[in-house]
Amino acid sequence: MIHVQYSGKAQKALQKLDTETAERILLKVKYFSSSRENIFRYGKKLKIFKEATHRFRVGDYRVLFRIDQKTKQVVILVIVNVVHRKEAYL
């Protein structure tokens, strides 16, 4: 089971988006987190972050996430930020 946790920054970014785009992103996150497959299959590892950070694409937006391995029973998918692709890699 994967538990999804949105950072404050990610919540604010989602609120700024138009409703259709935000819903599309939320549905994609829900789909990935409920999938029985390995979540890393959907994401690409980013090299520019100190912590292991991955991203997956939703249209022109990138959802940045980290996996918290501290807990043994539940993997926490922390949505770090949701940004337009032109701003994702600065």
Side-chain angles (χ1 to χ4, degrees):
M1 178 181 169
I2 296 176
H3 174 74
V4 178
Q5 177 184 348
Y6 291 86
S7 69
K9 190 174 184 178
Q11 289 175 0
K12 286 179 185 179
L14 282 168
Q15 289 173 352
K16 290 180 183 179
L17 297 175
D18 62 277
T19 306
E20 184 180 329
T21 303
E23 286 178 3
R24 187 172 168 206
I25 290 169
L26 293 172
L27 284 172
K28 189 73 88 161
V29 169
K30 184 177 180 180
Y31 171 77
F32 288 162
S33 65
S34 65
S35 174
R36 293 184 177 192
E37 298 178 43
N38 185 350
I39 192 74
F40 294 109
R41 177 174 184 238
Y42 303 109
K44 181 178 179 182
K45 189 170 187 331
L46 300 177
K47 298 175 184 176
I48 60 174
F49 293 93
K50 290 180 184 178
E51 293 185 54
T53 303
H54 295 74
R55 65 106 174 129
F56 59 82
R57 195 181 118 204
V58 183
D60 284 341
Y61 288 84
R62 303 299 182 260
V63 178
L64 308 179
F65 67 95
R66 293 187 184 116
I67 304 291
D68 184 357
Q69 298 292 349
K70 291 180 184 177
T71 173
K72 299 292 184 198
Q73 297 176 339
V74 178
V75 176
I76 300 176
L77 179 65
V78 181
I79 306 300
V80 180
N81 203 357
V82 177
V83 294
H84 192 277
R85 66 183 182 155
K86 67 181 179 185
E87 301 166 358
Y89 308 107
L90 299 179

